[in-house]
Each structure stands twice: as C-alpha cells, then as structure tokens.
C-alpha cells in the first residue's frame, strides 16, 4: 500500500480539535472521510500533532496508506474535492517510504501565537487571533520568554489533563515581536506538553501588560507548580506552522 505524506492547512474554529471523537467534529475525521471517498475503503489518518479545539494549522503533517496507487498531485486534488465544505486544505501530497511516520519521525514542531492589542472588537480576524484590550510590551515579553529556552520542568505550563510521561521538555527557541498592532510569539521544540504554548503565552501577557516582571515569570517557571501559571491564552491565536523531518 503506497504511503503519502500530507501537508495540511485548516481553520480550527468549527472543530473539537485534530483527534477523532465520537460526538464532535474533528479534522482527523474530515480527512478520513475524504480519504475513504477517494480510496473506496476506510483510511486511517495519522497526524504529527493533536491540536486542541479551535487551534489552527498552516502546516500540519499527516500520513495515509491507500489501496490505490495514485500520483501525489491527484491524491492532493481528490482529497481537497472531498473535503469541501470543511475549512481544511491539503497543500501538498508526497509519496514517502513505509518507514515514514507523521508523528514519530518528526524532529521539531513550530508554533505561532497571534495577539492584537486594541480596544475595538475584531471583525476580519475574529476567531483567528487573541484580542488583548491593553497595550502589550513585546520587548518585555521577549526578554522574559528567554527563561524558557533549554530543558526545564514545565509543570507550571502543563495542563492538568496532560498525559505526557514527564513534564520535562526542551524548548529550542522562542521569540516575541511586534508587527503594527499585532504581537506574534513563535516557538520551536521537538514536542510540547498539552496546552504548553497557550499557558506560556497567557503568562507572558501578564508580563506584557505590566502585572508581572521577568523575575516573576522565571519564578513561576522554576516553581514547577501549575497554580503559578497565569491565565491560559485562548485557542483562537494558536497555529501549528510547520513540522520538521530528517533530510527535509
């Protein structure tokens, strides 16, 4: 059975998340339904990351095995045809070796979190960005965020329902920058804990509005205590941007 690597973009707003669920729509279910329509048999879709309800993707990666041996472009176009009207698009399909696994072969995941600091409500960006009604100090947020780089016990920024074996993770890079009225946080690591990025963002916003200092933020990290986390940022502004693989 030929294996195909899929690069996927989606608006997470109408979905309960990536993972298939019994009584709620998911991105995985939409893709599996489209793949079955293409292949004529049930198809399992394996994703690189299980994004939460409302979280978006610009470059989620998945793989599928099909009975039919089709050109990669045909797989892409046929899946997109059967995905309508769901807000999911297969940007690229690629034939890969059987050893490739979207989740276990991944070496790094890249996330983006978007914030707009303005008083008026959002219109065009509603559901796509977190509106913070107070001015954010992006430089202060960036400075405080550097305490997260490296290997740490991220219990403070770990959701209570997280099923990871250990709270210890290594964050490779994190940056906060301003682009007009938009503040963007980007971060990269091999893997993340459940709601880790949204938890870090929410606490960094406490720095950005002047409630916390960089010292307060580092103390919260070092405490390894979930109760020391600031408010968790909403799903609206979070995007899985890309997933890296060996020799890619």
């Amino acid at each position: 059975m030929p294996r195909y690597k899929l690069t996927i973009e989606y608006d997470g707003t109408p979905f309960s998340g990536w993972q298939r669920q019994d009584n709620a729509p998911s991105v995985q279910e939409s893709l599996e339904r489209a793949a079955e329509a293409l292949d004529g048999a049930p198809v399992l879709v394996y994703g690189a990351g299980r994004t939460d309800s409302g979280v978006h993707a610009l470059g989620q990666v998945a793989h599928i095995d099909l009975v039919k041996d089709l050109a990669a472009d045909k797989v892409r176009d046929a899946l997109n045809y059967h995905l309508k009207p769901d807000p999911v698009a297969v940007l690229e399909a690629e034939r890969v070796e059987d050893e490739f696994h979207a989740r276990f072969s991944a070496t790094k995941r890249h996330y983006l979190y978007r914030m707009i600091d303005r008083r008026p409500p959002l219109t065009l960006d509603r559901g796509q960005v977190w509106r913070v009604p107070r001015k954010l100090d992006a430089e202060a947020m960036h400075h405080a965020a550097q305490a997260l780089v490296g290997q740490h016990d991220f219990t403070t920024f770990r959701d209570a329902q997280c099923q990871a074996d250990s709270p210890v993770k290594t964050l490779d890079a994190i940056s906060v920058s301003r682009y007009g009225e938009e503040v963007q946080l980007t971060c990269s690591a091999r893997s993340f804990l459940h709601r880790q990025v949204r938890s870090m963002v929410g606490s960094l916003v406490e720095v950005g509005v002047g409630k916390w200092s960089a010292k307060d933020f580092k103390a919260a990290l070092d405490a390894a205590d979930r109760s020391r986390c600031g408010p968790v940022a909403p799903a609206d502004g979070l995007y899985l941007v890309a997933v890296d693989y060996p020799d890619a």
Side-chain angles (χ1 to χ4, degrees), residues 11-214:
D11 176 355
T13 305
F15 297 108
S16 61
W18 165 268
Q19 191 171 8
R20 186 192 321 103
Q21 300 184 33
D22 291 338
N23 300 307
S26 68
V27 181
Q28 184 182 29
E29 179 187 11
S30 291
L31 284 161
E32 289 181 343
R33 187 168 55 244
E36 181 174 355
L38 163 64
D39 206 37
V43 177
L44 295 177
V45 174
Y46 298 89
R50 297 175 179 178
T51 53
D52 289 338
S53 176
V55 175
H56 316 296
L58 302 176
Q60 169 73 285
V61 175
H63 78 262
I64 57 174
D65 296 327
L66 300 180
V67 174
K68 296 178 179 178
D69 192 344
L70 302 171
D73 286 353
K74 184 170 184 180
V75 171
R76 178 199 61 203
D77 294 344
L79 288 174
N80 285 329
Y81 174 82
H82 292 296
L83 280 164
K84 295 182 292 186
D86 292 343
V88 181
V90 176
L91 304 180
E92 183 180 5
E94 176 187 354
R95 282 286 296 267
V96 290
E97 300 296 326
D98 292 346
E99 293 75 22
F100 174 86
H101 194 287
R103 179 183 175 190
F104 298 119
S105 300
T107 58
K108 192 175 293 188
R109 293 160 174 85
H110 305 272
Y111 281 91
L112 162 69
Y113 196 96
R114 300 175 58 205
M115 294 155 273
I116 290 180
D117 55 349
R118 76 180 201 188
R119 294 288 298 177
L122 300 174
T123 54
L124 299 179
D125 285 315
R126 184 187 305 170
Q128 309 298 311
V129 63
W130 180 17
R131 181 183 69 87
V132 180
R134 297 178 59 183
K135 192 71 172 177
L136 293 172
D137 185 337
E139 290 186 8
M141 293 170 67
H142 176 79
H143 173 69
Q146 300 318 299
L148 300 167
V149 177
Q151 186 180 85
H152 300 281
D153 181 334
F154 281 100
T155 296
T156 299
F157 305 114
R158 180 189 193 186
D159 188 84
Q161 304 302 314
C162 181
Q163 299 179 359
D165 292 335
S166 170
V168 176
K169 292 289 181 181
T170 300
L171 189 70
D172 296 317
I174 187 167
S175 178
V176 182
S177 302
R178 176 176 289 280
Y179 303 92
E181 68 177 3
E182 183 166 329
V183 174
Q184 295 186 356
L185 177 145
T186 59
C187 57
S188 302
R190 184 180 183 92
S191 61
F192 291 86
L193 299 167
H194 188 209
R195 292 187 180 161
Q196 180 183 342
V197 178
R198 289 167 56 192
S199 297
M200 295 188 305
V201 169
S203 293
L204 285 170
V205 164
E206 296 292 274
V207 176
V209 300
K211 290 184 178 180
W212 289 12
S213 66

